[in-house]
Amino acid sequence: MTNDELKIKLGELFPSSAFEEGTEWTTMLAEPVLWKEIALQLRHELVLDFLFCITCVDWKTHLAMVYHLRSTTTQDTVVVKAKLDRENPQIATVSDIWRTAEFHEREAYDLFGVQFIGHPDLRRLFLTDDYEGFPLRKDFEDPVNMIKL
Amino acid sequence: MFEETGTTAEGDLVINVGPQHPSTHGVLHLVITLRGETIINVEPHLGYIHRSIEKMCESLSYRQFIYVTSRMDYLSSHINNHACALCVEKGLQVEIPERAKVIRVLMDELTRMASHQLWWGAMAMDVGALTPFFHAFREREVINEIMEETCGARLTMNYMVPGGVMYDLHPNFQQKVKDFIILFKSKIDEYDEMVTGNVIFQNRMKGVGYISKADAVSYGCTGPTARASNVSCDIRKLFPYEIYDKVNFDEVTATGGDCFARYLVRVQEMRMSLSIIEQLIDNIPEGDFQAKTKAVLKLPKGEFYASVETARGEFGVYIISEGGMTPYRIKFRSPGFSNLSALNHMAKGHKIGDLVAIMGSLDLVIPDIDR
């Protein structure tokens, strides 16, 4: 399907969702509270079975989760974004829908502090368990180990 | 420890493999729960070589950050650079010269072969055959010498820049590659003779580490790991970049889904790369090797994603730009990271000796996983 066809289809499935313009792929903005339902629909209605990238972005005022999804049968690609509160970032886990999310979400928790509700094993992945702070946030300061380039 | 996994019972044994162990191909720490000799649970502990490359890139310019990506998957550094260069070009909307495209594809395929050769030797070494390791390095040395003449480096090339390639090819390049094709055609048959048909090798590999097609997709596996489970995921075929749509080659898939299928896919990929190089080596177009770009690159505001097919799977670069000289946020979608997440699924129920074979067949490169 082309981007416009995908947009129409997604608009039918999720009437309340907004779209971003001028992007390479169809980009949908989702409410974090609805993300689990949206994810289930995307997986079963549109057969987007391949979650190939989960990115967390720190926009200083809020955090954003970006999910890149592709279908292995039709090669349609859909990007879903969700805005999270910076002080208390919470979003439902999708590790039961796409198993690869288990590692990716642990990484996002480790480096950004996003709490994934319902994740089976939410611990730090790269850093030690007693590490304080979230290094990939923009306001992270470490006077000893950080080198300003 | 015992409360953490939740699957352990009285009398289970928890052992550590790594972070420094020859079979983990780097600094990977595995916490394995054993019941007798059977694996109940494998839990990878990562981060031993985490250099926070994504954070570093936020303070590096668009010309500089490519150099850092060479250090990620150091066995296919050309292809990593390629992905970054493609992503920046997508943002700048630069069309690169035809010659640069062909050079890039040639270098990509040479790198893929070098990477698979090293994997082939390491894989055989993992299941107990040492000789193939030396054979593989002998042929890889020829590729490294070709690279060294053109790029000046043997491992971290940094040869691809936004707009094309950094230098023109060395005058000897064409002749040397032709010699290598003749050499390697006989050698790859030797590889097959030496290892593939070996009964002991087949017994160690067949039926071990099975992953179904649906699971491979769900775990986000790409590259030979997924193609061995009959998932069609070759970026070169699905979303052709550079000149891959003008080259004749097949996507290599297998239906086994076990270690042996992954082995066969990679050996066949070496042959496929050889045929791609054969088609291109006599047809390198004349002209510029680099498009003219500004001294200081500034990407427009927006998001750009480019992915290429490395020796391990889909390597993606996701740049979020705010219009400045440096990326606002950059994310590398590394193939090894997703492939590793399937390790526990593959290894459950097998013996601990099989774990080494499974890890070898996944072709893990740890700096690529940790980033």
Side-chain angles (χ1 to χ4, degrees), chain A residues 27-144:
Chain A
T27 307
M28 197 170 86
L29 305 170
E31 285 291 327
V33 284
L34 302 173
W35 166 232
K36 189 80 176 191
E37 294 166 33
I38 292 173
L40 279 166
Q41 292 236 11
L42 290 174
R43 173 67 184 83
H44 297 295
E45 297 287 323
L46 285 165
V47 204
L48 297 162
D49 49 2
F50 181 41
L51 175 69
F52 63 95
C53 191
I54 297 183
T55 316
C56 186
V57 190
D58 183 3
W59 289 107
K60 289 178 185 161
T61 52
H62 61 272
L63 297 178
M65 291 297 296
V66 185
Y67 296 85
H68 286 75
L69 296 157
R70 189 191 300 150
S71 167
T72 50
T73 44
T74 58
Q75 309 306 338
D76 294 334
T77 308
V78 172
V79 184
V80 183
K81 293 182 178 181
K83 279 187 182 180
L84 308 181
D85 179 43
R86 202 161 184 282
E87 302 309 314
N88 185 21
Q90 284 192 332
I91 193 165
T93 179
V94 287
S95 58
D96 49 345
I97 305 171
W98 298 282
R99 297 298 303 275
T100 184
E102 207 170 307
F103 262 42
H104 282 275
E105 285 176 353
R106 274 179 72 183
E107 186 192 5
Y109 165 74
D110 193 354
L111 304 173
F112 286 94
V114 181
Q115 293 284 343
F116 292 95
I117 303 156
H119 190 283
D121 181 24
L122 198 63
R123 287 176 298 120
R124 286 191 180 271
L125 180 64
F126 294 122
L127 302 166
T128 49
D129 288 341
D130 57 357
Y131 194 89
E132 283 180 11
F134 303 110
L136 247 61
R137 287 193 177 201
K138 292 283 179 185
D139 57 359
F140 178 80
E141 284 295 336
D142 186 348
V144 180

Side-chain angles (χ1 to χ4, degrees), chain A residues 24-25 49-50 52 54 56-59 70 75 81 99-100 104 107 123 125-126 135 137-138, chain B residues 43 46-47 50 55 58 90 217-220 222 238 303 305 314 320 328-329 331 333 338 371:
Chain A
E24 184 187 359
W25 292 313
D49 49 2
F50 181 41
F52 63 95
I54 297 183
C56 186
V57 190
D58 183 3
W59 289 107
R70 189 191 300 150
Q75 309 306 338
K81 293 182 178 181
R99 297 298 303 275
T100 184
H104 282 275
E107 186 192 5
R123 287 176 298 120
L125 180 64
F126 294 122
R137 287 193 177 201
K138 292 283 179 185
Chain B
E43 196 199 337
L46 307 173
H50 192 277
K55 181 89 175 174
E58 288 172 12
K90 204 180 242 184
V217 174
S218 177
Y219 275 106
T222 46
L238 298 176
E303 302 170 359
Y305 185 94
E314 180 187 345
I320 295 176
Y328 182 79
R329 167 89 169 97
K331 161 90 185 179
R333 186 252 181 246
S338 298
R371 302 193 298 288

Side-chain angles (χ1 to χ4, degrees), chain B residues 171-182:
Chain B
N172 298 343
F173 178 84
Q174 240 171 321
Q175 191 51 48
K176 282 205 167 184
V177 171
K178 280 180 188 169
D179 294 347
F180 173 75
I181 291 170
I182 295 161

Side-chain angles (χ1 to χ4, degrees), chain B residues 210-269:
Chain B
Y210 174 77
I211 186 163
S212 68
K213 183 175 177 173
D215 279 332
V217 174
S218 177
Y219 275 106
C221 297
T222 46
T225 309
R227 284 199 286 279
S229 302
N230 206 12
V231 181
S232 168
C233 61
D234 197 328
I235 306 288
R236 295 174 296 171
K237 275 283 179 205
L238 298 176
F239 309 103
Y241 52 95
E242 310 299 18
I243 50 159
Y244 278 116
D245 46 356
K246 295 175 192 146
V247 184
N248 287 327
F249 73 101
D250 301 326
E251 187 177 7
V252 186
T253 54
T255 51
D258 57 357
C259 290
F260 195 64
R262 291 192 276 276
Y263 171 88
L264 290 179
V265 165
R266 287 203 179 88
V267 171
Q268 193 56 37
E269 270 197 6

Side-chain angles (χ1 to χ4, degrees), chain B residues 220-362:
Chain B
C221 297
T222 46
T225 309
R227 284 199 286 279
S229 302
N230 206 12
V231 181
S232 168
C233 61
D234 197 328
I235 306 288
R236 295 174 296 171
K237 275 283 179 205
L238 298 176
F239 309 103
Y241 52 95
E242 310 299 18
I243 50 159
Y244 278 116
D245 46 356
K246 295 175 192 146
V247 184
N248 287 327
F249 73 101
D250 301 326
E251 187 177 7
V252 186
T253 54
T255 51
D258 57 357
C259 290
F260 195 64
R262 291 192 276 276
Y263 171 88
L264 290 179
V265 165
R266 287 203 179 88
V267 171
Q268 193 56 37
E269 270 197 6
M270 284 198 253
R271 290 202 167 93
M272 211 47 82
S273 293
L274 209 56
S275 82
I276 292 175
I277 292 171
E278 245 182 326
Q279 290 170 51
L280 291 175
I281 193 66
D282 282 328
N283 308 319
I284 305 176
E286 294 297 319
D288 288 340
F289 53 89
Q290 205 175 356
K292 283 203 164 39
T293 49
K294 285 179 180 159
V296 178
L297 299 178
K298 280 189 181 178
L299 260 65
K301 197 174 171 176
E303 302 170 359
F304 312 99
Y305 185 94
S307 57
V308 296
E309 181 76 21
T310 74
R312 275 150 209 81
E314 180 187 345
F315 180 84
V317 181
Y318 180 51
I319 297 178
I320 295 176
S321 163
E322 282 284 270
M325 282 161 52
T326 60
Y328 182 79
R329 167 89 169 97
I330 199 159
K331 161 90 185 179
F332 297 110
R333 186 252 181 246
S334 67
F337 189 71
S338 298
N339 290 351
L340 182 74
S341 65
L343 177 68
N344 190 11
H345 176 87
M346 290 178 187
K348 265 182 191 170
H350 283 296
K351 300 279 182 285
I352 189 160
D354 295 332
L355 181 72
V356 178
I358 294 167
M359 267 198 298
S361 73
L362 283 178

